[in-house]
Amino acid sequence: MPLTVEQRSPLPMGELSGHTQAPGLSRVEAHGSRLLLTWDDDSQAPFPLIWLRDHCACPECRHPQTRERLYLPQEAPDEAVEAEVESGNLTVHWANGHLSHFDGGWLHQRRPGSLPSDAVPKRQPWEEGFSPVRVDHGDFTAGVAGERDWLTALLRDGLVLLEKGPLADEEVSRLAERIGPLRPTNFGARFDVRSKPNPNNAAYTAIALALHTDLPNWRQPPDIQLLYCLENGAEGGESIFADGFAAAECLRQSSPEAFRLLSETPIDFRFQDENHDLAWRAPVIALDEAGNVTEVRLNNWIRDSLRLPVETIDAWYAAYRHFWQRVHAPQHRLEFTLAPGEMVAFDNRRVLHGRNAFDPNSGRRHLQGTYLDLDMCESRLRVLARQA
């Protein structure tokens, strides 16, 4: 049966639609197993019938409260007998009597082959002279804007500062829990960074900490680290950070063979104490299918024995030295002193961190830290963007 095009009164929008600035529909045409849609701005896109049937938002096809899909597209849909445009939106009548409504703007945003819009920013490498965004604690806790600015900077730059916060125990946990649940590790869900006797980690000493990422010996290292300064009266102890992604790209350009070795050669990382023995094998630089850098695992303390073929060992060490030099190059690193009431947050799988040595006899130095999952940070930013 041929499809018809009509203009009628507004459609109910269904569970999947929402407010959008995209143009409304002006016309629909049938072309075999597809509908060709035309919008008010004259843009066009073909939609397979099976896609439209799968995305029906009626209560039979989507749970009305959870919005989870109930329809299972195991076979081709029944033929559509009629499609009509009503006030910029689409209605499809199926041969079995089912009725589907689609918001025209919603469909425009989901044209086949188009990329989704997202409030989460793209990562941007640090340029020389980079200075991290600073957000007041009061703005972060007062409403949407401050928290949104903080998350945007964190996800875009990999590092952001919060300042003028209270000197309150567990404040780092309270701030983190606005975003999502704390990510526990073998050091607990929340940890204290200060010099202490019988340490099981270099962070709990007063020595200098070379640039590193935390816990590369985990299959899934923590994504986001938060460090909240409660006391910092000791001499020294300046915080150091470097953009590992920018350093990796610099290595790719200057020493492509070193970059290849570090991105293709898994090595062993391991942490052991009386209660834990955590080990994982992975490359120093991880890439996605398109060759983009997605992760840096650089931690010289817990790099385990290098188990490589003898003919590869010298070349690997040379590549490792090259990358170490790039990471510590001035254009990729920052150095500053965290003041009491300040919190630094950074992407642990991108940004390397460290500190200068400090004198524990000259004053007290106490930071509290925790980790968050990147998924929860991105989720929170999307929720806040809807409230803007």
Side-chain angles (χ1 to χ4, degrees):
M1 184 179 296
L3 299 175
T4 61
V5 179
E6 301 181 13
Q7 293 288 342
R8 296 186 179 176
S9 59
L11 288 172
M13 294 302 166
E15 288 297 325
L16 285 181
S17 40
H19 178 71
T20 175
Q21 298 298 319
L25 280 169
S26 60
R27 183 174 178 80
V28 57
E29 303 171 27
H31 291 271
S33 63
R34 299 176 180 177
L35 297 184
L36 178 64
L37 305 184
T38 304
W39 284 267
D40 292 336
D41 63 356
D42 294 327
S43 60
Q44 290 185 321
F47 280 78
L49 291 176
I50 192 171
W51 189 98
L52 291 165
R53 183 63 189 86
D54 183 41
H55 288 78
C56 178
C58 77
E60 293 179 25
C61 300
R62 291 264 174 173
H63 192 283
Q65 279 78 47
T66 70
R67 301 189 181 184
E68 293 170 313
R69 181 179 279 107
L70 303 175
Y71 175 77
L72 183 64
Q74 288 189 309
E75 56 187 31
D78 292 326
E79 181 184 0
V81 297
E82 185 179 4
E84 42 197 42
V85 172
E86 305 180 11
S87 299
N89 304 305
L90 176 69
T91 297
V92 180
H93 301 263
W94 303 97
N96 64 356
H98 195 81
L99 190 65
S100 298
H101 301 300
F102 300 94
D103 177 75
W106 186 90
L107 288 169
H108 188 272
Q109 293 175 338
R110 289 158 178 80
R111 289 163 292 169
S114 63
L115 296 176
S117 60
D118 198 349
V120 175
K122 292 183 179 180
R123 289 165 163 167
Q124 294 182 5
W126 297 358
E127 297 181 354
E128 193 166 357
F130 167 76
S131 180
V133 169
R134 291 176 172 267
V135 175
D136 278 4
H137 179 279
D139 292 336
F140 181 94
T141 57
V144 170
E147 189 176 348
R148 187 182 64 239
D149 291 346
W150 184 88
L151 281 166
T152 299
L154 172 62
L155 297 173
R156 181 191 63 220
D157 304 329
L159 186 145
V160 66
L161 285 162
L162 197 72
E163 55 187 5
K164 302 178 183 177
L167 303 184
D169 188 55
E170 296 286 356
E171 183 64 13
V172 68
S173 302
R174 286 185 285 271
L175 294 171
E177 286 169 348
R178 294 175 63 96
I179 310 298
L182 310 185
R183 159 76 189 274
T185 71
N186 53 297
F187 298 104
R190 200 271 299 149
F191 50 89
D192 291 277
V193 182
R194 54 187 169 191
S195 179
K196 62 183 182 182
N198 301 316
N200 64 348
N201 186 278
Y204 303 146
T205 70
I207 67 172
L209 302 181
L211 288 167
H212 64 283
T213 58
D214 276 5
L215 308 184
N217 55 304
W218 282 63
R219 178 181 285 103
Q220 179 80 15
D223 294 324
I224 303 298
Q225 182 169 175
L226 285 67
L227 287 172
Y228 196 102
C229 182
L230 293 174
E231 295 179 285
N232 200 359
E235 294 179 4
E238 295 84 3
S239 298
I240 306 169
F241 298 92
D243 187 351
F245 283 10
E249 291 300 335
C250 181
L251 181 71
R252 192 202 304 254
Q253 295 300 318
S254 63
S255 306
E257 178 60 16
F259 181 89
R260 185 194 67 79
L261 269 175
L262 295 183
S263 62
E264 294 181 0
T265 308
I267 65 167
D268 293 288
F269 298 93
R270 191 172 189 178
F271 172 88
Q272 296 172 287
D273 63 10
E274 292 182 356
N275 300 311
H276 303 95
D277 191 342
L278 293 158
W280 188 244
R281 186 174 177 85
V284 172
I285 299 171
L287 308 177
D288 62 17
E289 293 179 355
N292 301 308
V293 179
T294 59
E295 179 181 26
V296 171
R297 295 184 187 233
L298 188 68
N299 189 316
N300 205 52
W301 293 288
I302 58 175
R303 181 169 53 81
D304 203 8
S305 301
L306 192 66
R307 298 178 178 90
L308 296 179
V310 66
E311 62 271 15
T312 306
I313 289 176
D314 287 340
W316 187 91
Y317 277 113
Y320 189 72
R321 286 196 301 270
H322 281 309
F323 189 43
W324 189 270
Q325 292 163 3
R326 299 298 180 274
V327 165
H328 289 82
Q331 66 267 31
H332 298 310
R333 59 180 272 160
L334 294 172
E335 181 175 322
F336 54 84
T337 299
L338 269 181
E342 290 186 338
M343 182 181 77
V344 62
F346 55 94
D347 185 339
N348 177 60
R349 300 174 79 171
R350 167 188 172 179
V351 173
L352 299 98
H353 66 289
R355 68 158 188 251
N356 293 332
F358 66 93
D359 179 3
N361 297 316
S362 63
R364 294 169 60 89
R365 187 179 191 275
H366 182 197
L367 309 181
Q368 287 188 328
T370 190
Y371 299 108
L372 284 171
D373 287 325
L374 180 62
D375 295 304
M376 297 307 299
C377 293
E378 293 180 344
S379 169
R380 180 62 176 166
L381 181 56
R382 293 186 186 107
V383 170
L384 294 173
R386 297 204 304 261
Q387 300 173 11

